[in-house]
Structure formats: C-alpha cells, structure tokens
Amino acid sequence: MPHFDLPIDQLRAYRPEVRVPAGFDTFWRQTLADARKAGGDPHFTPARTPLVGCHVLDVRFPGFAGDPIAGWLLLPPGDGPHPAVVQFLGYGAGRGLPHEYLPWVAAGYACLVMDSRGQGSTWGVGGATPDPHGSGPAANGVMTRGIEDPETYYYRRLFTDAVRAVDAVRRHPSVDAARVAVSGGSQGGGIALAAAGLSEDLMAVFVDVPFLCHFERAVGLTDREPYAEITRYLAVHRESAERVFDTLSYFDGVNLAALATAPALFSVALMDQTCPPSTVFAAFNAYAGPKEITVYSFNGHEGGAAAQWPRQVALLTGAARA
C-alpha cells in the first residue's frame, strides 16, 4: 500500500476551507436541548459475567429523542469516585462483550462502552440498540440514512447519543463527574470528536484514525467503504450533491473539532486509504484545544493499534492527577 496523500510537511499545515452551515451552533444547541428535555434516567444493572476484579453493569440511558441506548459500564475495584473513559465504536460494531474493554479498568479507570444504534451486525459479537427512526431512500449501511436533511440524518442521532453517554456516566455514583474522557478509533474517533465539541469540561479526548472528517475530500479521494456508500448514493441521486454535502457539513469532524477545548491526542496512519491522512489532519489542525498527534508512517487503517494505548494512558494519568 503506497503513500498516496499529501507529503507530511503539507499535511501538518493542511487547513482546508470546509463549508460551515450558517445555523451550525443553533442546530446542535437545539438538538441537545431537545434530547435532554425528553428526560429519562440512566439505568445500571449488575451483569453476570465470568470476570473478577471489576464490576460490570448493563447500561440503558436515554439518547436522541429519549431512545434507550445500551452500553456496558466496567468499574475498577473500590468505591471511587473513579475517573472514566467513554468508549465509542468503529463502523458496524456493537457493544460486544464486557471482557473486550478490560484495559481501561486494569489501568484504574471506569469505562462506559456506548452501543451504536442500528449497527452491531457487521463484525464483532453484536449490539443491542435499534434505531427506531425511519429514513428516505438510502444506500446499504447507515452513511446515507436521511442524508438529504440534517434533521433526519443518522449521525444527528448517533452524535446526540454520544453526548448523552457522557451525561449518563457522570450520573453514576462511582464515577468522578469532573474526570471524564472520550475515546474512539475510525467511526469511534469521529464520534469522540463530536462528543468533544458538544460536551463540556472533558478531561481528555482520544481520536484515532478518525472517520467522518472533511467529507468532500474523503469522498473524492478514496473508494473505500464506508465513504463509498456516499459515492454510490450520489451516483444514483445525481442532482443531490449540494444538498448532501450541506447536510454532511453539520456532522463534519473539522467543524466539530473547532468547538472542542479539552486536551486531545490524535493518531494518523499515512497509508490509511479508509480515512485518508489529509482528512485526519484537517480535523487535527482545526482542533481548538491543546493537542498532539502520533504519526504512523507505514500503517494503514489499523493505525497504531495497541501501540497507541500506552500513550493515551500516560496523557490521561497526568490529566487525572491535575
């Protein structure tokens, strides 16, 4: 797999003009206000698992429109309150099984894993959250569900769920509400960026090889899934390109990064043809808070994989002690 995007010196300086909708702030402020107004409390139910040395809770919390969203909450030993990490998932994955998320607990952090509504049937061991909201015509997958209007677009619901996941974990008595971080890779990285831009007072943000950034460049540069879902849609709906990219601008990680102020650690892989490096650097360079980026020069979409986690723990440990 060759280097196919801009040279690294150009990537570090890459600050493209990305369309910003006139009602961007109002749209998100009203969306989140409506979700919180829908009410409902998070519910944490002890789960039966073979794990010892941590407590596992089956979670249901109100997301967009008050819809119940599933998750797992893993708690380290002791009464706490513990700092917490909210983990968001890659495209097509569901919350899976609790033992998949032990590293954060082993490092002394609570970990809330958010199920992705309407996903969870592509890889892994499944999800538990339906998406009860309808859509107009769409290509396979979730990328084009409701894509003709930001009010109906799938990621409006998923990003709102992410903010409400942060709200939910802060409600648990064993979690220190002032010490909550968000994390994710690929789609999870894009969701983490959204949560960072739309939530307040996060301790840290971890964004690995993020999807959902700089849509217009991504769709024109790569033929990989899931961006290819948008390409297929526009190949059929030939007159919809302006309307589609206007919708996507409300959900672009570049625009959401500009709202985020918590300390952030990004990662990028220079041979990543799924989330091209220039799209990652566009979001990184727009990020408004303190930030670092780890560059993996010879990796594809796996990025740093397990090698990135110790860097995240080091940053988080310093933030938790501050």
Side-chain angles (χ1 to χ4, degrees), residues 58-182:
D58 189 325
V59 180
R60 296 295 186 278
F61 68 89
F64 177 86
D67 298 335
I69 308 301
W72 299 115
L73 178 60
L74 284 72
L75 298 170
D79 295 331
H82 306 288
V85 176
V86 180
Q87 183 76 37
F88 304 116
L89 303 174
Y91 192 81
R95 66 172 181 166
L97 298 173
H99 65 261
E100 298 178 75
Y101 306 100
L102 288 175
W104 285 118
V105 180
Y109 298 90
C111 180
L112 181 117
V113 183
M114 187 189 87
D115 209 18
S116 296
R117 62 166 65 222
Q119 298 189 42
S121 298
T122 303
W123 59 278
V125 290
T129 306
D131 183 14
H133 301 269
S135 164
N140 293 340
V142 301
M143 284 301 297
T144 61
R145 291 184 187 173
I147 200 169
E148 301 268 347
D149 188 329
E151 295 284 338
T152 59
Y153 190 43
Y154 170 82
Y155 281 95
R156 182 187 183 214
R157 302 189 290 279
L158 191 61
F159 287 179
T160 301
D161 295 344
V163 175
R164 297 292 282 144
V166 173
D167 293 347
V169 77
R170 283 174 164 161
R171 295 277 301 276
H172 195 279
S174 293
V175 169
D176 184 344
R179 296 188 295 165
V180 174
V182 295

Side-chain angles (χ1 to χ4, degrees), residues 229-243:
E229 293 177 25
I230 299 172
T231 307
R232 285 197 299 273
Y233 182 89
L234 291 176
V236 174
H237 300 274
R238 296 169 175 82
E239 308 302 320
S240 293
E242 280 300 304
R243 188 158 55 251

